[in-house]
Amino acid sequence: MCGIVGAIAQRNVVPILLQGLQRLEYRGYDSAGLVVVNNQQLQRERSTGRVAKLSAISANISSHLGIAHTRWATHGVPSERNAHPHMSNNLIAVVHNGIIENYEAMRTRLTAQGYVFTSDTDSEVIAHLIHSHYARGNSLLVATQTALSELVGAYAIGVVAADNADQLICARKGSPLLLGVGIEENFIASDVSALLAVTKNVVYLEEGDVAEISLHGYRIFNARGEAVERPLHVSELSNESVELGEYRHYMQKEIHEQPQALADTLEGVCNSQSLIPGIFGAEAAASFAQVKSILILACGTSHHAGLVARYWLEEIAGIPCNVEIASEYRYRVSVANPDTLVVTISQSGETADTLAALNHAKETGHVHTLSICNVPESALVRLSKLRFLTRAGPEIGVASTKAFTTQLAALFLLTLLLAKQRGRLSVQQEQGHLHALRHLPSAAQAVLNLEPEIAKLAERFADKRHALFLGRGLHYPIALEGALKLKEISYIHAEAYPAGELKHGPLALVDKDMPVIAVAPNDALLEKLKSNLQEVRARGGELYVFADAGTRLQPSDGVHIMQMPEHAGYLSPILHTIALQLLAYYVALKKGTDVDKPRNLAKSVTVE
Ligand code: M6R
């Protein structure tokens, strides 16, 4: 996790660094810091807490060269001494995102050489190691390259030296980093959103690249030290797209962006008369023809998307599907099946466990790989043979919302294509599904229109300490997702169960203080679910039922019904999710938690 920004310009770069950090705060927000080069000296400010605090203490600093960092603690508690940048002998300063695995050995070696460590982080070894090579007369570039060759682990780094006001060095391996190219000014950042106010021209560094950046240009060297060219991209993101606008929180904004995000994700598909595999990449048709099963690997919310997809894939496409949590799969001894399509799902495309799971799948012999991802240049996309880019736009709130529903849309398309390819989709059925997909954005908008009612319902939750979510079939993963959203941002302990499991244990938890939230679409399992809800009511549990058209559920004492406007068939999980996102959001609002930056979490989980 952690966010990095760096800049070299003729103007004062401090406001650029601070604004960039603010944009990157979603990557980590327990402490922040910056260092600038001025008159052969390093001037550093660090603070615990948010970037706003750093901005306040940096008001009087100015320089044309600097690097900055916002942290999500791994090694060492969140504290000022552990905040980046880390310095060596007031000469070298480094910001780092990633984990140095051999830092203990390095620390011992550097301590023996006389280096004094002032933090508990793994990152500080990078500063001292670079210093040790720089002090021997190497250029900053060579000192950095040599140091990196001795380090094991993942990193994106920015490096400056007090006696070199003309250069900024950066490198990446395992953590994202890009260059922002301006006119007589250049930048580095973990993510393009940090730089949109200054440039949209970006160069994505590749694994092992080291770059030397000056006012007038940049040079990139690959892991073997050879000078290389990397393509220049013009980011399609606008500065406004990463601003809050009229909303109170990014999460609220992103919940409301879902109709558009779904429309954008489905754009090419819904405008055509039939589905073509090419939307998953040039080689998709050939791969789809060969595969006989699906293995989905993902974490958190993205894993829930995979769980929904399993129902679709088996029922509509008739293809066996397994869904595994990436952090488990990566260490599990499993049997590879070369006829399996390995589908990884990730908003960020940089989740360490998902990347490792994909690599593990490949190493064990899987050959067909597809990633569904929201970030075009991410490591996950590059590692996969096939890809589908959701077009949710930047998701900044730590709680994933629009990324999830667009992942579901992508997975439904995958299902339809595999069904078609396997002769299980008639032309009429295909047209019917396309029609439903075209209607999806307006159906999502209709759910958003329930916001005031859901906000009112949420008021009843603010004093609760626990909550139980129930769903059945296709909507069991939606109950899981609803529970994850609630616990993540409101800190209310929430669990989800398939409603039929209640009587096998969790029913013991039910009493008047345990709100039970039921996802109740008008599907084949509705009558079964109604019986499960009776079991809850009979034990005094208070029910909050998210019903949809035709469910004929009536409110009564202890039974609150949220009536959703329509039943969307196979796409119903998408609509029910939106309602549960709103519920979690308003409960958190009522509780006064930090909705966009919940405690202990970060948006991109780039560590194990
Ligand atoms: O970027 P990814 O989709 O790979 O992230 C996976 C999870 O870390 C993520 O979905 C997490 O569970 C969300 N914060 C949940 O809202």
Side-chain angles (χ1 to χ4, degrees), residues 502-513:
L502 259 192
K503 54 190 171 299
H504 299 289
L507 200 53
L509 294 170
V510 172
D511 63 11
K512 65 178 181 16
D513 295 322

Side-chain angles (χ1 to χ4, degrees), residues 472-494:
R472 292 201 74 138
L474 199 50
H475 294 81
Y476 164 52
I478 300 310
L480 286 168
E481 176 60 9
L484 178 61
K485 285 294 90 96
L486 188 70
K487 73 183 110 175
E488 189 176 22
I489 61 168
S490 77
Y491 315 149
I492 292 176
H493 167 227

Side-chain angles (χ1 to χ4, degrees), residues 254-263 265-266 301-302 305 312 345 347 372 388 390-392 395 400-412 437 440 444 478 481 485 571-579 581:
E254 287 154 11
I255 290 173
H256 278 269
E257 282 172 343
Q258 288 176 109
Q260 192 57 50
L262 287 164
T265 298
L266 295 167
T301 286
S302 298
W312 288 334
I345 311 170
Q347 186 283 132
I372 293 175
F388 184 96
T390 49
R391 295 180 61 200
E395 192 181 69
S400 189
T401 53
K402 59 180 181 169
F404 177 67
T405 46
T406 53
Q407 286 166 353
L408 288 179
L411 288 159
F412 194 66
L437 285 168
L440 189 56
I478 300 310
E481 176 60 9
K485 285 294 90 96
L571 297 174
S572 157
I574 296 180
L575 302 188
H576 276 273
T577 298
I578 296 174
Q581 292 167 350

Side-chain angles (χ1 to χ4, degrees), residues 306-341:
L307 292 176
V308 174
R310 179 168 58 188
Y311 289 90
W312 288 334
L313 285 159
E314 299 219 345
E315 187 171 326
I316 304 173
I319 189 162
C321 176
N322 271 326
V323 187
E324 290 208 39
I325 291 176
S327 56
E328 286 296 311
Y329 175 80
R330 64 181 289 190
Y331 292 116
R332 198 167 73 75
V333 178
S334 53
V335 182
N337 177 352
D339 296 332
T340 296
L341 175 65

Side-chain angles (χ1 to χ4, degrees), residues 30-358:
D30 59 45
S31 51
L34 60 80
V35 74
V36 296
V37 178
N38 265 332
N39 304 322
Q40 303 262 320
Q41 287 191 341
L42 296 175
Q43 195 176 354
R44 176 172 68 174
E45 289 295 348
R46 298 184 291 176
S47 72
T48 52
R50 302 293 160 84
V51 174
K53 214 167 140 195
L54 178 71
S55 299
I57 58 173
S58 309
N60 297 324
I61 304 180
S62 104
S63 168
H64 78 277
L65 170 63
I67 50 177
H69 187 269
T70 177
R71 178 169 187 248
W72 187 84
T74 55
H75 295 68
V77 296
S79 65
E80 194 179 316
R81 66 192 290 271
N82 288 333
H84 298 218
H86 292 290
M87 287 172 33
S88 182
N89 294 291
N90 291 321
L91 182 60
I92 297 290
V94 170
V95 287
H96 170 225
N97 170 27
I99 287 189
I100 301 303
E101 289 165 19
N102 60 341
Y103 85 99
E104 276 169 342
M106 280 296 160
R107 196 174 167 123
T108 308
R109 186 179 113 186
L110 289 159
T111 305
Q113 287 173 22
Y115 285 99
V116 177
F117 281 78
T118 57
S119 79
D120 311 313
T121 67
D122 54 331
S123 309
E124 193 180 351
V125 298
I126 309 174
H128 295 311
L129 198 55
I130 293 174
H131 180 276
S132 70
H133 295 295
Y134 193 56
R136 280 182 215 134
N138 291 301
S139 68
L140 191 55
L141 173 70
V142 171
T144 305
Q145 284 170 317
T146 315
L148 293 177
S149 71
E150 296 173 85
L151 295 174
V152 178
Y155 54 78
I157 57 166
V159 187
V160 291
D163 60 353
N164 188 345
D166 303 323
Q167 266 185 3
L168 160 57
I169 305 293
C170 67
R172 72 152 285 193
K173 189 177 149 205
S175 301
L177 197 69
L178 54 85
L179 312 185
V181 183
I183 299 166
E184 295 295 297
E185 55 184 20
N186 291 299
F187 312 91
I188 64 169
S190 303
D191 165 346
V192 66
S193 65
L195 301 180
L196 289 174
V198 286
T199 185
K200 287 190 170 194
N201 298 327
V202 294
V203 174
Y204 293 94
L205 292 185
E206 292 190 6
E207 282 295 278
D209 281 356
V210 180
E212 180 188 71
I213 293 140
S214 66
L215 267 185
H216 314 295
Y218 59 89
R219 295 193 299 156
I220 304 175
F221 303 88
N222 65 16
R224 291 185 301 279
E226 300 154 347
V228 285
E229 299 280 332
R230 302 288 181 220
L232 184 75
H233 297 261
V234 181
S235 172
E236 287 176 10
L237 291 183
S238 68
N239 201 20
E240 294 70 47
S241 69
V242 290
E243 272 168 9
L244 202 48
E246 65 191 270
Y247 295 98
R248 198 157 162 193
H249 295 99
Y250 279 104
M251 182 180 179
Q252 188 192 24
K253 177 178 186 239
E254 287 154 11
I255 290 173
H256 278 269
E257 282 172 343
Q258 288 176 109
Q260 192 57 50
L262 287 164
D264 290 346
T265 298
L266 295 167
E267 193 186 359
V269 182
C270 289
N271 290 341
S272 64
Q273 288 312 305
S274 68
L275 291 160
I276 46 157
I279 55 172
F280 285 89
E283 295 170 54
S287 273
F288 291 173
Q290 287 172 48
V291 299
K292 296 191 173 62
S293 61
I294 307 284
L295 170 62
I296 297 180
L297 304 171
C299 300
T301 286
S302 298
H303 173 250
H304 295 159
L307 292 176
V308 174
R310 179 168 58 188
Y311 289 90
W312 288 334
L313 285 159
E314 299 219 345
E315 187 171 326
I316 304 173
I319 189 162
C321 176
N322 271 326
V323 187
E324 290 208 39
I325 291 176
S327 56
E328 286 296 311
Y329 175 80
R330 64 181 289 190
Y331 292 116
R332 198 167 73 75
V333 178
S334 53
V335 182
N337 177 352
D339 296 332
T340 296
L341 175 65
V342 178
V343 181
T344 45
I345 311 170
S346 172
Q347 186 283 132
S348 61
E350 55 171 291
T351 301
D353 286 321
T354 309
L355 288 169
L358 175 57

